[in-house]
Amino acid sequence: MAPRANWKGFLRLSLVTCPVALYPATSESEKISFNQLNRATGHRIKYLKVDADTGDEVPNEDIVKGYQLEKDQFIEVSKEELEEIALESTRTIDIDEFVDKSDIDPRYLIRPYYLRPDGKVGHDAFSVIRETIREMDKVAIGRVVLTNREHIIALEPLDKGLVGTLLRYPYEVRSEQEYFDEIQDVKVTKDMLDLAKHIVNQKSGSFEPEKFEDHYETALIDLINQKRAGKPITPKERPRGENVVDLMEALRRSVGQGAAPAAKPSKKPRKAASGQKEMLMPIEGKKPRKEAATKKPGTRPRKSA
């Protein structure tokens, strides 16, 4: 079952319009997460919204937005006033222009979404827009309002749907000059480049996301399983880094190591739907997940972690 749509409205190309729904294309929920606890009692920490001066808790209905002019001086803005300035793109993604994908600076990319027709109507119009973008080999640029803010969105075909990537505005992207100005101008010799290119050729391949494993997530799972099993936790010795004294010698030694074969995953890659948490060992006394699914509903099992 698909997750709940983040946004519903209309996709419009000139006079061609269709109802669409926008869904998040990525998820962080499968990762291990922690709660904050009171060390003395083991109870969870609860956050309250309190008045900064009086320390009294403030109910949600009494909380308003405010823009800070200077210390302790704010301009209050009501929900009704914000709704007054709502934009048309709150319910419509208007395609303003078409650009080459290579024209979009990667620094402007924020996050991807899936876009599909909403309901049983509008599939014809959606398909026309999708196939037009595909045939022209372009990216469609439009605007969409999420969480009351207008975003630029870049749309491109993916299978039967569209992928929409939110883009940053120019004022959100920092200039590289403030970071790069102090980099020294170094003359790189042809010999150095030749050796470095040889290393690149040895390590060249194709991007296959399933080859990569989140080693920190795996280490977290191992840590939790060891603690649940009552095993002692012993710190691992960390490898020491070596200072590069002779750059040419380091390049030669790197080439001499040869093309090391790509490390095969130690475990079969897990499907995204199953998530990392499936690797957690079952709680003692509980049946494995598949067996538990056949049990009659009754007591609710504890989460594995």
Side-chain angles (χ1 to χ4, degrees):
M1 184 176 178
R4 185 177 178 182
N6 277 32
W7 180 92
K8 289 188 176 184
F10 296 89
L11 176 64
R12 183 163 63 195
L13 172 60
S14 190
L15 299 179
V16 180
T17 305
C18 60
V20 292
L22 199 68
Y23 298 85
T26 59
S27 172
E28 297 285 324
S29 62
E30 287 78 18
K31 290 188 174 182
I32 294 289
S33 60
F34 293 101
N35 293 301
Q36 291 186 322
L37 307 176
N38 181 341
R39 187 196 300 272
T41 63
H43 300 158
R44 288 181 59 177
I45 299 297
K46 182 180 179 180
Y47 288 94
L48 302 175
K49 296 178 180 179
V50 299
D51 188 299
D53 290 337
T54 66
D56 297 332
E57 185 176 355
V58 182
N60 286 333
E61 60 268 21
D62 290 338
I63 298 177
V64 296
K65 295 181 182 293
Y67 175 80
Q68 184 171 352
L69 292 176
E70 52 187 73
K71 187 177 180 181
D72 298 328
Q73 186 178 355
F74 300 87
I75 292 180
E76 291 186 11
V77 181
S78 69
K79 180 180 178 181
E80 292 72 25
E81 289 169 333
L82 291 173
E83 290 174 350
E84 275 293 316
I85 63 171
L87 305 167
E88 183 185 357
S89 49
T90 301
R91 283 288 167 260
T92 304
I93 298 176
D94 261 314
I95 297 178
D96 296 326
E97 61 178 343
F98 295 86
V99 302
D100 293 331
K101 188 173 182 178
S102 59
D103 289 345
I104 302 176
D105 189 322
R107 292 176 295 178
Y108 285 81
L109 305 178
I110 302 178
R111 72 182 69 88
Y113 288 86
Y114 293 138
L115 198 72
R116 74 177 189 188
D118 184 31
K120 297 181 179 180
V121 299
H123 286 249
D124 290 346
F126 182 88
S127 298
V128 168
I129 296 173
R130 180 197 65 214
E131 292 309 307
T132 301
I133 300 172
R134 196 193 306 273
E135 287 294 320
M136 298 297 292
D137 195 23
K138 296 282 187 177
V139 175
I141 303 296
R143 290 160 287 123
V144 63
V145 172
L146 295 174
T147 60
N148 298 325
R149 297 300 297 263
E150 187 178 57
H151 300 269
I152 309 168
I153 188 167
L155 301 170
E156 53 187 313
L158 178 66
D159 195 21
K160 295 191 295 182
L162 291 170
V163 170
T165 304
L166 297 190
L167 304 178
R168 295 181 174 89
Y169 288 98
Y171 70 84
E172 297 178 280
V173 179
R174 294 175 175 174
S175 170
E176 72 280 2
Q177 293 180 355
E178 58 183 305
Y179 304 97
F180 296 166
D181 278 351
E182 295 181 5
I183 298 178
Q184 299 177 9
D185 293 323
V186 176
K187 177 67 175 178
V188 180
T189 67
K190 183 178 182 303
D191 289 343
M192 287 183 176
L193 274 178
D194 288 343
L195 288 170
K197 288 178 182 178
H198 189 72
I199 296 170
V200 171
N201 288 331
Q202 288 178 334
K203 294 180 176 291
S204 291
S206 57
F207 179 65
E208 300 174 26
E210 61 274 8
K211 291 193 303 185
F212 298 96
E213 180 183 351
D214 188 338
H215 293 102
Y216 182 71
E217 185 79 0
T218 302
L220 281 178
I221 292 170
D222 291 340
L223 173 64
I224 293 171
N225 283 336
Q226 288 183 53
K227 292 183 75 70
R228 288 170 68 176
K231 296 179 180 179
I233 307 300
T234 55
K236 296 179 181 178
E237 185 177 350
R238 296 184 179 272
R240 295 181 180 179
E242 297 181 2
N243 292 328
V244 177
V245 178
D246 187 333
L247 182 56
M248 278 296 292
E249 179 60 25
L251 287 167
R252 290 194 186 97
R253 287 170 58 188
S254 297
V255 170
Q257 290 177 356
K264 294 182 179 179
S266 57
K267 299 169 186 173
K268 188 176 180 180
R270 297 176 298 280
K271 293 182 180 179
S274 64
Q276 291 269 12
K277 293 184 184 179
E278 296 294 332
M279 292 176 61
L280 290 171
M281 62 186 288
I283 297 173
E284 186 177 355
K286 298 288 182 182
K287 292 188 177 182
R289 185 181 295 268
K290 290 184 179 179
E291 295 179 16
T294 61
K295 273 184 73 176
K296 293 181 180 180
T299 57
R300 190 175 180 180
R302 287 172 51 195
K303 291 185 179 179
S304 53

